[in-house]
Amino acid sequence: MNVPQAEGGSRLDVLRAIPVLYGCLWSLFIAFLGTVAIFLFARSSEWDVNSLTAAAYVVHCVAVFCGAIAAARQVESRGWFHGGATGLLYALIMVAIGLFVYNTFTMDGSGLFRVLLMAVIGAFGGMIGTAFTRK
């Protein structure tokens, strides 16, 4: 399968053309690495449920923040918008996983707050990422 390449560019340039998707993929990759790290730490020591839950929230927040920076680096302006959209897309993917796979997400105030929090963290990461735009 041939992926189209931009003139003189790499195959990633096609993906970088859609900054929100690019940032969301980075977020998912970082979340995967963080989840594996939590799994390994939890296996080697005795962690209770509250510690695992807190670690999972931290991993998701860091993943959204880093993904928003990656998304905002692809654009020259409105990094907050692209970062916030990245955080929102990531949160919606996690909600879909929670609803369809584990049936754990609830549409109450705390669930909606977590979605809003991911969008705000993404917007903040997008503002920071705009300072590091690709040239």
Side-chain angles (χ1 to χ4, degrees):
M1 180 171 135
N2 290 334
V3 176
Q5 293 183 2
E7 284 186 35
S10 69
R11 293 180 183 188
L12 280 178
D13 287 339
V14 173
L15 183 60
R16 287 180 177 153
I18 308 169
V20 174
L21 182 61
Y22 181 75
C24 192
L25 289 176
W26 267 108
S27 294
L28 291 170
F29 177 71
I30 292 169
F32 174 75
L33 293 179
T35 302
V36 169
I38 288 173
F39 172 75
L40 294 175
F41 285 131
R43 294 280 290 176
S44 65
S45 63
E46 295 296 321
W47 281 17
D48 60 345
V49 174
N50 291 332
S51 298
L52 287 173
T53 303
Y57 282 133
V58 169
V59 164
H60 287 299
C61 290
V62 168
V64 165
F65 184 75
C66 293
I69 289 174
R73 286 188 63 211
Q74 307 307 312
V75 295
E76 293 180 5
S77 63
R78 294 187 315 198
W80 63 271
F81 174 76
H82 290 91
T86 299
L88 186 61
L89 179 62
Y90 179 85
L92 292 176
I93 290 171
M94 292 299 117
V95 165
I97 291 171
L99 282 174
F100 298 123
V101 176
Y102 298 113
N103 199 18
T104 57
F105 184 78
T106 58
M107 290 298 244
D108 59 351
S110 67
L112 296 176
F113 175 75
R114 289 189 299 255
V115 171
L116 177 66
L117 183 64
M118 289 294 150
V120 169
I121 290 171
F124 182 68
M127 286 188 282
I128 291 174
T130 304
F132 302 108
T133 57
R134 297 186 56 168
K135 296 188 173 43

